Amino acid sequence: MLINSAVYDDGRVVAEPDLDDLSEALQAQSGFVWIALRDPTDDELTRLQHELDLPPLAVEDARKGHQRPKLEEYGEILFAAMHLLEAGPDGGLEVGEVHVFVGARFVVSVRHRSTQGFLGVRGRSEREPELLRQGPGFVFYALMDAVVDRYFPLIDAIEAELEQLEATMFQPRQDRQAVVQRLFGLKQRLATLRHAVTPLLDVAGKLHGGRVPVVCKAMQDYFRDVYDHLVRIQASIDAARETIIAATQVNLTLVTLDESLVTKRLAAWAAIFAASTALAGIWGMNFEKMPELKWAFGYPMALGVILLVSGALYWRFKRLGWL
């Protein structure tokens, strides 16, 4: 579906052509065209390919989707794939994509499986025509910068939930299984984020310093800023991943300690009852020569000994921390 189509000359909109009129609009103007599509049909991509002479292999990637973040050069045309991430209803991350074609006189963004649009990017750019005068390279930067900026709230949310888990981990009667499940969920979200960020670092690294595509040469400082943002996110991902591993190990250790404590308590009570059982068994034997059996205070004495021994064992185990 076509979201927007506009020709910009000297930083301002001069035409809004349909897909079938792009080549004529570009011939009539000296600027560039910025087209945005969402979940396009095969017919729309075919018309776009015909009008702008897009590389067939790149169009095929944009048609199929499910691409790893990457940057490919087809002569003077760039094709970039980036992941769009957003929080899902089940707490996980849903993965969409945006594919960007960048040429000397056009920028085409193709969005798949995502509700995150770029109308805000277009609106901000149109309010600053001096930036749009930089041409398609600036639009490519603005789109990539918007994608990367949307990763920051996701890593912040993961770090906040991780801090909350760490704060409650040592509370008594904590559901250890639920904690491990939440940690595993955080690890999955981090993995999804890392799969989006790590390849994009390579993409941004190719757009500043050294050999840079001609269409992006004037925007190297801007792409370096995007690269710095990605490095910060990558560092946060690595730190959160290490924290999750450590928290999981600590939680498993706490589970072992809880089980050990339960074992100690059971062993302590078993020892107390074993002593009582042994004493009761002695006086329960049917021997004739047992003076206590015919003594008036034999029964109270037996109970007293049992209670005394049981109390002594209880006191000892309590001091040891077993009870």
Side-chain angles (χ1 to χ4, degrees):
M1 179 177 66
L2 179 65
I3 301 297
N4 213 326
S5 174
V7 177
Y8 296 89
D9 192 4
D10 195 31
R12 302 189 183 279
V13 179
V14 295
E16 295 182 354
D18 293 330
L19 294 181
D20 295 327
D21 302 326
L22 291 177
S23 56
E24 291 81 358
L26 289 176
Q27 290 175 0
Q29 305 294 336
S30 60
F32 68 94
V33 63
W34 180 357
I35 302 167
L37 299 171
R38 175 186 176 186
D39 296 320
T41 62
D42 290 343
D43 178 65
E44 287 175 326
L45 287 176
T46 301
R47 289 155 58 193
L48 199 62
Q49 178 183 356
H50 174 74
E51 290 292 316
L52 299 178
D53 194 22
L54 298 178
L57 292 177
V59 172
E60 189 65 20
D61 286 345
R63 178 178 287 112
K64 292 182 177 179
H66 301 286
Q67 299 296 314
R68 186 175 184 267
K70 62 181 180 178
L71 179 69
E72 296 176 343
E73 294 185 57
Y74 296 88
E76 296 183 354
I77 297 177
L78 296 181
F79 173 73
M82 296 175 283
H83 284 182
L84 298 173
L85 304 181
E86 52 191 316
D90 58 349
L93 293 180
E94 295 185 350
V95 182
E97 295 178 44
V98 59
H99 302 147
V100 184
F101 297 86
V102 187
R105 298 196 62 194
F106 63 83
V107 177
V108 179
S109 64
V110 181
R111 181 159 45 101
H112 290 281
R113 307 183 312 278
S114 176
T115 60
Q116 298 181 5
F118 295 98
L119 291 178
V121 177
R122 186 184 292 268
R124 185 192 69 180
S125 301
E126 291 178 351
R127 289 192 296 270
E128 301 178 15
E130 66 277 5
L131 295 178
L132 278 175
R133 292 192 186 101
Q134 302 293 330
F138 168 76
V139 176
F140 182 31
Y141 151 75
L143 292 173
M144 182 179 291
D145 186 57
V147 170
V148 172
D149 284 346
R150 292 169 184 174
Y151 294 156
F152 280 104
L154 300 177
I155 188 65
D156 289 342
I158 291 174
E159 290 176 339
E161 187 172 349
L162 189 55
E163 290 176 359
Q164 181 186 10
L165 276 175
E166 287 182 310
T168 60
M169 190 176 298
F170 293 97
Q171 292 181 357
R173 297 184 179 180
Q174 183 66 257
D175 188 349
R176 305 297 178 194
Q177 183 177 355
V179 172
V180 171
Q181 288 177 341
R182 290 182 64 184
L183 287 171
F184 185 74
L186 290 176
K187 188 175 181 180
Q188 287 182 315
R189 287 158 61 184
L190 272 180
T192 302
L193 189 56
R194 183 167 58 85
H195 292 159
V197 171
T198 302
L200 204 56
L201 269 170
D202 296 334
V203 173
K206 296 177 181 177
L207 298 175
H208 70 87
R211 179 190 173 279
V212 177
V214 176
V215 71
C216 300
K217 191 172 290 291
M219 305 301 299
Q220 292 189 62
D221 291 341
Y222 290 86
F223 285 111
R224 183 182 294 109
D225 183 64
V226 174
Y227 182 83
D228 291 340
H229 289 176
L230 287 168
V231 169
R232 286 170 51 195
I233 296 173
Q234 182 69 45
S236 298
I237 290 173
D238 292 339
R241 186 171 179 271
E242 292 177 0
T243 303
I244 289 175
I245 293 174
T248 303
Q249 292 175 343
V250 169
N251 192 74
L252 294 177
T253 301
L254 291 174
V255 171
T256 303
L257 291 175
D258 290 343
E259 292 176 350
S260 176
L261 182 58
V262 171
T263 302
K264 288 179 179 180
R265 287 176 178 172
L266 292 175
W269 285 112
I272 292 173
F273 283 108
S276 303
T277 303
L279 292 172
I282 291 174
W283 283 300
M285 291 186 295
N286 298 321
F287 290 110
E288 294 183 2
K289 304 298 183 179
M290 294 184 69
E292 310 95 291
L293 296 180
K294 297 183 179 180
W295 184 33
F297 298 100
Y299 180 69
M301 181 205 69
L303 291 180
V305 172
I306 291 174
L307 292 175
L308 180 62
V309 172
S310 298
L313 289 173
Y314 180 86
W315 172 81
R316 180 59 178 169
F317 288 134
K318 193 71 173 179
R319 289 196 60 185
L320 293 175
W322 286 34
L323 293 175

